[in-house]
Amino acid sequence: MSYVIRSSRLAAFAACLLVVAAVVSACGGSSSKSSASSATTAGSTSATSTAAAATGTPKSGGSLTVLELGGYAGAWPTGLDPATNVNGAADQDQMNSIFGQLFQLSTGGHVTPDLATSATPEKGGTTWRIALRPGLKFSDGTPLDAAAVVSNWKRDLANPCTCKPILPPVKSITAPDSTTVLLSMAAPDGAFQNQLLVANLNWIASPTAIKSMGEQAFKLKPVGAGPFTVVSDTLSNTLALKKNPNYWESGRPYLDNLTFKATADDESALEALQSGGAQAYDGMATPSLVSTYKSHFTTTEQPATSPYDIQLNTAAPPFNNINAREAIYYATDAAVIDQKLFGNQFQVVQGFTAPGGLFYYPNVPGYPTYDLNKAKSIVKQLGGLNVNFFTLASPVNQNFMEALQTLWKEAGINTSIHLYSLAGLIQQFDTKKWQAALQTAGAWDPAAGVGLGFRFLSQSPFSGVHDPKLDALILGGQAQVDPTARDKTYQQAAQYIAKNADGPFLFPLASWNVAVHGVQGPGLTTVIPSVVVNTAPLWQDVSFTQ
Amino acid sequence: MSSTSAPLSAPLAARAGRAGRLAGSPTLSFIVRRLLAAIPVLFGVTFLSFVVMNSLPGDAAQELLGAQATPAEIHQLEIKLGLDKPFLTRYWDWLHQAVIGHLGHSLSSGQSVASILGSDLPVTFELVGFAFVISLALAVPLALVSARKPNGVADRLSMMFSMAGLSIAPYVLALVLVYVFAVKLNVLPAIGWVPPGQSVSQNIRYLILPAVSIGLGLLCFYTRLLRADLLGQMQGEDYVVTARAKGVRPWRVLTRHALRNSLFGLITVVALNLGTLLGFTVVIEDIFGIPGIGHELLQAIDNRDIPVIEGIVFVFAVIVVLLNLAADVLYSVLDPRIRYGRPTE
Amino acid sequence: MADLPSDLVVAGVAPAADEAAVAKAGGWWRGRLGVTVPAVMVAFIFGLCFIWPIIGPVPPPTGGNILNASLPAFSPGHFLGTDPVGNDEWSRLLYGGRASLEIALAVQAIGLILGGLIGAVAGYLGGWRDATIMRVLDVFIAFPGLVLAVAIAQGLGPSELHTIWALSFFSVPASARISRAATLQLREQTFMTAARLSGTSFPRMVLGHIAPNILPQLLTYALLGMGIIMILEGALSFVGLGVPPPAPSWGNMIAQGQSTISADPRYVFLPSAALFITVVSFNLLGEGLRARWVTQ
């Protein structure tokens, strides 16, 4: 039986073939990779849409399956009740579809009415008057009137949930008539309407349904007045919705069925889209996959609004010394990271506002820009600089941290990097001895969502800065009603941060919304800034095209 | 080296005789003793996981409220969830309810642990069961063909293939399968899950790739094991010699007798490999977006959702204990060459 | 409470009768060749991962310059290219192999020694002591190791050492069962009774008489287990344990690379191929040794 090769030898031979194949594939893989690092679109601006924005006539009907990133937008472990959904800001797609919104952010970054028609500040911004659209009904037939809003808001604010907006102490919430809600606070808040945009106050649940179903059942199958109603809900896996026949806007929604599915990561989403398992993906955030996505689908870059920043703990060594902080500024070349890791797709910023959001200015006077020689000399003066640097674990953050580590090394700074889960992250801050953390700060409106206050206010346990002057600027920016005044105050805050070298800013990471050809919608194939992280498409206006 | 190894099987006739002595035999008291001994094991497992989960940083309240919560808010929620009580109190609270079947409620979603298990366990069972079915359905013919003509072409090919299949990591296989069948050929879905109640055909379609990812390794392992055992019987056992002397064709001996004996022994394989199987099932469920118990376990650990974890650990331990017991009992029926109890001094 | 040689069979280390028969029938497991080829492959892999980086021109696997990010294969100085932050991919492959092999070796060694001793003692002593030890082991077998692995990662932080602890959780009880079953078989043999009757001390019984005789089976099992442990390490990387990046291991390279496989498959393909070849080698070696010991 001499012709029969021994199995072990054959296996060894097959193994060698594999090695050869590996080397060959290593060559083949290179061509697709180089396109990302040599992409020449320099610095995105808020209005650029890289999509072939479909402008076909909307077709009524059809079933759409939308993917959401597991662990973030694709996670709703505590159910979908606005008062208790701790993941509300991430789950905005699901919440908006079921409940609709009082106000929504539309194409171009304008706040437009949906279930409410206007929000007016009174008494210097300590009171806000919300006017509701008359004649609204929840999908169970009961009226969505001011009383329902009042009971919702009281319930929302009473529950421990970080999905609440950060407001000055609320004195009263009343309904002077059936379409007017008055909310009164102890101090002025100029950003209230913007703050609603990803807060649970924006979603109104049917009080009758909560009472009759009980809270436990309600959170699994909620009832609202939005364009869709719940058919079935498997927590953090699949949410199946169907058209609400009693939706207030006639002719909407276009879709008959809308299903949200969780996906493990951007790569799985790509595969699911390619195999026909879904038709849209909200929040694709891996820059190296963009060209692959673009070659198959309508991929629209959504302007980002939260820049990455490096938080420095000014209360503990080594960064209680302003020279050490400045060294970090001088050693950080944000532009080269943008270029090498992200193909120059993002806009380097110097403050906590970004091109996609409000109050953006590209240059902050007094900002210490990259200067390797200055960095080196400061480090030498200090006699060396060692940094413990940490952040939340994620593949993008992993690469980011490593890049910063090697950049800082050139200035003589020795960095050890750590990536933690959420609990580990909080533990680090609790020790008060942390040194540097990579985070994001700011939002579309710096007072909305979380970020600016959490990173820079003295009373925040996660802040590295304890400076009453900065507090006054940040809180003042929120309190003022006049947008021009707010703009000026936030500018001053950015300059103050730069002057004290409290922490350099890098660039915001945009995300992309993806749809197969033949699907269109605001926020999906057009550009809407994200309020905090992801853009929220207006699902009632999403449709297949003729 | 030992020369009295026990293959997976034993002559059927001899087995029947032994089975007849079952009632009142050592086997019955063996079963009872093992069941009683299982109780401290279950207690130990649940206590151990309680200890482990409580030693992790953070708790359910903190995970629920996220990075932006103030310590006051976290504390408020802790009281609401009963997390401020001392360690042993909380374990006792769970334990004395669990033994009567009340497994508590999830700290994240409020759903009862029983209902979570009730919806997740069948999904994982279906996935793993499907993997077993695929692997056995292919392992049996492969092993039979191999055993029929040892060292023949078919045998060597199947040995090579099974060696390769054993050596591939399930998660790598999953990536390759998705790339070929979902992305390139477009015949199977990449992620998702359709319950059988909705559509049996779709349910199977969505399960094929994940089941094959898990099943290929099992298939290869069983093929080699079955083949070895079949060969052992064909070359060693008296009843085979007798049958062949009587003129019964080898193929018939293989399929009618040897195979049946071998299959029994496979249960022992299942029982002993459950832990590793669960580990891979978790990764596969994650990759394919299947809402099963593995996925649930991972999420519950992230959320520090202790009642859910305890429930899953408890069920898993029960399954392992029962399967191990069944394997040992069946094995003893097949081959009582090892005595029970102390060696004679 | 007996545990039966089923353990030996299902672990793949036992069947003696059929193995001898097969060897006689087809001559394909002819001892030397069935062992030499995989042994050479294993030695080559070890040499490449442990020795070559010391003596040959291999750049460090971490701390790469971001200006060299994502270079394609056959770039000057990087024949397999670089990863997205500029580390040399060939170097990552070698050092990653070293990490994965170190972990697998350590885990199997711990299993062999610790598990082997526990099982031998339990099997030899018998009675209530045996029963107690087995029940404690049952707790660890019935405990989903995944929970422990994730807990270690979250509580102590992921590291190579913690990965070894977590994986030992799988290997020690399994090895103990093998060892115990082999000891039970051994116990019945005459030379054992003779040694016992002549008053040999307990440690000498275990170490001098039992250990050498069960070692072949344990060693075979350890070799066969190398592959599965390396694959498990990859699975742990998927859920957050494993070797923490930027230090490479094949497991974490696969887990990291799979999230951009459509853009650049080589980051997954290279470690996957390396892992596959290594696992095949260990499996072939284990089976070859087993057959060889049988036909002696």
Side-chain angles (χ1 to χ4, degrees):
Chain A
M1 295 240 245
S2 55
Y3 65 91
V4 180
I5 313 171
R6 265 173 245 289
S7 69
S8 56
R9 291 249 188 96
L10 202 49
F13 179 60
C16 296
L17 275 182
L18 272 173
V19 171
V20 172
V23 173
V24 169
S25 92
C27 311
S30 62
S31 52
S32 58
K33 190 66 200 101
S34 56
S35 57
S37 35
S38 63
T40 49
T41 46
S44 70
T45 59
S46 59
T48 338
S49 163
T50 43
T55 47
T57 330
K59 189 168 66 170
S60 238
S63 302
L64 189 74
T65 302
V66 182
L67 299 172
E68 305 278 351
L69 186 66
Y72 185 64
W76 56 101
T78 54
L80 295 168
D81 181 342
T84 56
N85 180 4
V86 295
N87 234 15
D91 296 336
Q92 46 184 358
D93 279 348
Q94 294 89 317
M95 303 298 275
N96 292 344
S97 308
I98 299 172
F99 297 103
Q101 307 174 65
L102 291 180
F103 297 99
Q104 59 195 15
L105 200 58
S106 303
T107 303
H110 309 292
V111 179
T112 55
D114 186 16
L115 297 175
T117 51
S118 69
T120 329
E122 296 177 355
K123 305 199 185 122
T126 58
T127 304
W128 280 79
R129 177 179 296 267
I130 313 290
L132 290 177
R133 203 175 290 276
L136 289 173
K137 285 207 182 8
F138 294 107
S139 59
D140 61 3
T142 57
L144 199 174
D145 54 11
V149 174
V150 169
S151 91
N152 262 274
W153 283 10
K154 284 192 173 152
R155 189 167 168 261
D156 291 341
L157 293 172
N159 262 301
C161 176
T162 48
C163 40
K164 297 187 281 195
I166 302 171
L167 305 172
V170 172
K171 287 199 322 220
S172 70
I173 312 177
T174 55
D177 62 58
S178 68
T179 58
T180 312
V181 178
L182 272 180
L183 179 130
S184 172
M185 296 172 279
D189 181 357
F192 179 71
Q193 189 186 20
N194 291 343
Q195 284 178 298
L196 284 179
L197 293 172
V198 275
N200 54 1
L201 301 189
N202 211 16
W203 301 305
I204 309 299
S206 160
T208 326
I210 297 179
K211 221 198 216 132
S212 67
M213 289 169 81
E215 285 193 355
Q216 185 54 36
F218 181 82
K219 64 166 58 157
L220 300 173
K221 237 182 172 194
V223 175
F228 297 93
T229 59
V230 180
V231 172
S232 73
D233 179 13
T234 311
L235 291 187
S236 303
N237 184 272
T238 313
L239 179 68
L241 307 174
K242 71 173 198 284
K243 177 178 177 145
N244 177 5
N246 301 320
Y247 186 56
W248 69 266
E249 199 177 353
S250 71
R252 302 282 196 280
Y254 290 114
L255 298 167
D256 286 332
N257 297 295
L258 180 62
T259 307
F260 292 105
K261 258 195 202 172
T263 181
D265 53 29
D266 291 342
E267 175 65 41
S268 305
L270 177 62
E271 290 158 5
L273 286 166
Q274 282 179 299
S275 64
Q279 295 81 36
Y281 181 32
D282 199 5
M284 203 292 281
T286 305
S288 56
L289 289 174
V290 173
S291 51
T292 319
Y293 266 98
K294 281 202 185 145
S295 63
H296 298 281
F297 309 114
T298 312
T299 310
T300 314
E301 184 173 348
Q302 301 296 343
T305 53
S306 306
Y308 267 81
D309 78 318
I310 299 171
Q311 271 189 290
L312 302 171
N313 189 1
T314 60
F319 294 117
N320 47 1
N321 178 345
I322 188 174
N323 292 319
R325 302 203 297 271
E326 283 179 346
I328 296 285
Y329 271 82
Y330 291 126
T332 304
D333 186 357
V336 85
I337 298 181
D338 187 24
Q339 183 199 6
K340 287 295 171 181
L341 277 186
F342 302 109
N344 256 337
Q345 300 188 73
F346 305 131
Q347 175 68 44
V348 176
V349 299
Q350 295 177 342
F352 47 82
T353 54
L358 302 174
F359 316 131
Y360 170 64
Y361 281 86
N363 291 310
V364 173
Y367 186 88
T369 49
Y370 176 61
D371 189 331
L372 188 57
N373 292 323
K374 268 198 194 148
K376 279 186 186 161
S377 70
I378 296 183
V379 173
K380 216 185 283 190
Q381 263 178 349
L382 292 170
L385 182 56
N386 296 315
V387 181
N388 275 335
F389 192 25
F390 65 95
T391 189
L392 201 59
S394 91
V396 170
N397 285 354
Q398 178 67 43
N399 290 341
F400 218 138
M401 298 285 275
E402 289 179 40
L404 284 166
Q405 185 183 36
T406 56
L407 278 176
W408 290 350
K409 190 93 183 76
E410 291 178 26
I413 304 173
N414 293 320
T415 323
S416 65
I417 59 181
H418 310 270
L419 284 92
Y420 294 111
S421 66
L422 183 65
L425 196 75
I426 297 180
Q427 240 190 346
Q428 285 301 306
F429 281 113
D430 282 344
T431 65
K432 306 281 180 243
K433 294 216 215 57
W434 60 277
Q435 297 180 350
L438 182 70
Q439 302 272 44
T440 55
W444 177 70
D445 180 330
V450 291
L452 183 63
F454 265 77
R455 305 286 175 241
F456 292 100
L457 282 177
S458 12
Q459 58 259 42
S460 162
F462 308 110
S463 164
V465 184
H466 311 277
D467 188 337
K469 285 214 197 89
L470 185 59
D471 290 351
L473 287 172
I474 293 176
L475 293 172
Q478 171 175 351
Q480 292 160 312
V481 174
D482 175 21
T484 326
R486 297 186 67 203
D487 190 21
K488 194 143 161 272
T489 313
Y490 281 129
Q491 281 242 58
Q492 287 172 331
Q495 285 178 31
Y496 191 84
I497 293 174
K499 193 176 75 153
N500 286 315
D502 288 329
F505 293 90
L506 298 160
F507 42 83
L509 257 50
S511 64
W512 287 261
N513 282 355
V514 181
V516 304
H517 298 304
V519 171
Q520 69 176 10
L524 194 57
T525 51
T526 68
V527 167
I528 296 182
S530 58
V531 180
V532 182
V533 177
N534 280 344
T535 289
L538 303 179
W539 296 105
Q540 66 272 29
D541 293 328
V542 170
S543 70
F544 290 91
T545 51
Q546 305 284 4
Chain B
M1 272 294 288
S2 155
S3 57
T4 54
S5 69
L8 292 173
S9 56
L12 263 178
R15 257 182 49 236
R18 280 191 277 270
R21 287 189 277 113
L22 199 58
S25 76
T27 318
L28 200 55
S29 62
F30 173 66
I31 294 179
V32 170
R33 267 186 295 154
R34 281 293 285 267
L35 279 175
L36 284 177
I39 296 174
V41 170
L42 290 175
F43 174 74
V45 173
T46 52
F47 189 68
L48 185 61
S49 48
F50 203 75
V51 168
V52 165
M53 286 310 300
N54 274 287
S55 59
L56 287 181
D59 62 14
Q62 191 166 80
E63 288 299 320
L64 279 178
L65 295 181
Q68 277 83 29
T70 64
E73 286 174 328
I74 294 178
H75 192 63
Q76 188 189 0
L77 188 56
E78 278 174 353
I79 296 178
K80 189 168 167 197
L81 295 174
L83 291 171
D84 55 323
K85 292 191 233 169
F87 172 77
L88 283 173
T89 315
R90 282 185 284 126
Y91 182 65
W92 174 248
D93 281 344
W94 178 81
L95 187 64
H96 83 266
Q97 287 292 316
V99 292
I100 46 176
H102 296 157
L103 290 170
H105 295 263
S106 158
L107 294 177
S108 331
S109 68
Q111 286 176 297
S112 78
V113 174
S115 78
I116 294 177
L117 288 176
S119 54
D120 291 342
L121 273 175
V123 176
T124 302
F125 278 157
E126 204 193 335
L127 171 63
V128 173
F130 199 10
F132 274 131
V133 163
I134 295 178
S135 58
L136 281 176
L138 291 173
V140 166
L142 272 176
L144 281 175
V145 162
S146 295
R148 186 161 189 272
K149 260 216 198 113
N151 304 324
V153 174
D155 188 20
R156 287 179 194 247
L157 277 177
S158 88
M159 281 298 99
M160 254 181 48
F161 164 75
S162 62
M163 171 57 76
L166 263 184
S167 313
I168 299 183
Y171 38 90
V172 171
L173 181 63
L175 297 176
V176 171
L177 286 176
V178 168
Y179 185 72
V180 170
F181 289 98
V183 175
K184 282 292 157 193
L185 294 179
N186 236 313
V187 292
L188 289 172
I191 63 169
W193 160 261
V194 172
Q198 227 180 341
S199 157
V200 175
S201 62
Q202 284 296 72
N203 170 254
I204 293 181
R205 247 185 112 234
Y206 276 84
L207 269 186
I208 293 179
L209 291 183
V212 170
S213 303
I214 299 177
L216 186 71
L218 294 177
L219 160 65
C220 297
F221 191 38
Y222 297 159
T223 305
R224 298 179 89 86
L225 219 52
L226 269 178
R227 173 193 169 278
D229 191 71
L230 286 172
L231 277 180
Q233 287 188 71
M234 293 301 278
Q235 267 127 22
E237 291 289 343
D238 296 337
Y239 82 93
V240 173
V241 175
T242 319
R244 292 179 75 167
K246 284 210 266 182
V248 182
R249 289 177 56 241
W251 182 252
R252 208 147 176 259
V253 178
L254 258 182
T255 49
R256 293 199 66 185
H257 302 286
L259 184 61
R260 221 177 318 172
N261 298 340
S262 301
L263 282 177
F264 265 114
L266 272 186
I267 301 182
T268 61
V269 181
V270 175
L272 289 171
N273 291 334
L274 274 179
T276 323
L277 191 61
L278 179 68
F280 289 129
T281 307
V282 169
V283 177
I284 297 296
E285 282 182 3
D286 203 44
I287 293 177
F288 287 97
I290 297 176
I293 210 74
H295 184 69
E296 187 73 53
L297 184 61
L298 259 188
Q299 283 203 317
I301 297 177
D302 269 343
N303 292 335
R304 309 283 190 269
D305 198 343
I306 293 184
V308 173
I309 296 171
E310 291 289 312
I312 296 177
V313 165
F314 183 71
V315 168
F316 183 72
V318 165
I319 294 175
V320 170
V321 164
L322 284 179
L323 265 178
N324 268 303
L325 181 60
D328 283 341
V329 167
L330 264 173
Y331 207 97
S332 79
V333 167
L334 295 178
D335 181 11
R337 264 179 271 188
I338 296 295
R339 290 168 293 164
Y340 306 117
R342 302 184 58 122
T344 51
E345 290 290 80
Chain C
M1 315 265 176
D3 249 299
L4 312 164
S6 55
D7 292 338
L8 295 178
V9 172
V10 304
V13 300
D18 72 291
E19 205 85 59
V22 172
K24 280 191 220 120
W28 115 27
W29 288 115
R30 226 177 302 166
R32 252 166 308 166
L33 286 166
V35 172
T36 314
V37 171
V40 165
M41 280 164 68
V42 169
F44 178 67
I45 293 170
F46 268 94
L48 209 53
C49 292
F50 285 84
I51 303 177
W52 180 245
I54 303 178
I55 58 176
V58 178
T62 57
N65 196 333
I66 192 182
L67 293 176
N68 289 331
S70 305
L71 291 175
F74 302 120
S75 310
H78 303 283
F79 94 92
L80 284 179
T82 58
D83 73 351
V85 264
N87 299 313
D88 179 56
E89 196 63 19
W90 169 239
S91 166
R92 274 167 58 81
L93 206 58
L94 293 184
Y95 280 89
R98 180 201 278 196
S100 299
L101 286 167
E102 274 172 359
I103 292 175
L105 275 177
V107 169
Q108 293 302 79
I110 293 176
L112 191 70
I113 298 173
L114 198 58
L117 270 176
I118 294 176
V121 166
Y124 177 65
L125 288 177
W128 67 268
R129 277 169 287 198
D130 176 23
T132 318
I133 295 180
M134 288 317 287
R135 292 294 74 76
V136 170
L137 277 180
D138 277 349
V139 170
F140 287 103
I141 291 181
F143 184 77
L146 183 76
V147 173
L148 186 76
V150 178
I152 290 181
Q154 299 216 1
L156 299 172
S159 82
E160 191 170 322
L161 187 64
H162 297 153
T163 309
I164 293 175
W165 291 352
L167 288 173
S168 300
F169 214 59
F170 287 97
S171 77
V172 168
S175 197
R177 289 183 80 128
I178 306 293
S179 157
R180 180 176 174 279
T183 309
L184 283 177
Q185 280 192 322
L186 206 60
R187 199 171 65 180
E188 308 307 319
Q189 306 214 350
T190 17
F191 83 92
M192 291 286 292
T193 326
R196 217 165 33 232
L197 288 175
S198 69
T200 322
S201 71
F202 177 69
R204 215 182 128 69
M205 280 299 291
V206 173
L207 293 173
H209 292 283
I210 299 181
N213 282 298
I214 62 173
L215 200 57
Q217 283 153 314
L218 278 180
L219 210 50
T220 313
Y221 179 71
L223 273 173
L224 288 173
M226 286 289 286
I228 201 84
I229 294 290
M230 293 182 77
I231 293 178
L232 264 178
E233 187 254 319
L236 287 183
S237 298
F238 266 79
V239 296
L241 185 65
V243 176
S249 78
W250 287 340
N252 78 14
M253 284 170 79
I254 297 176
Q256 267 188 305
Q258 68 94 22
S259 64
T260 50
I261 193 175
S262 288
D264 217 332
R266 85 187 131 126
Y267 296 134
V268 172
F269 194 89
L270 292 174
S272 298
L275 182 64
F276 177 70
I277 295 170
T278 310
V279 173
V280 167
S281 307
F282 276 114
N283 282 345
L284 285 175
L285 184 60
E287 293 213 340
L289 278 175
R290 178 185 76 199
R292 188 173 189 201
W293 280 318
V294 162
T295 51
Q296 262 172 353

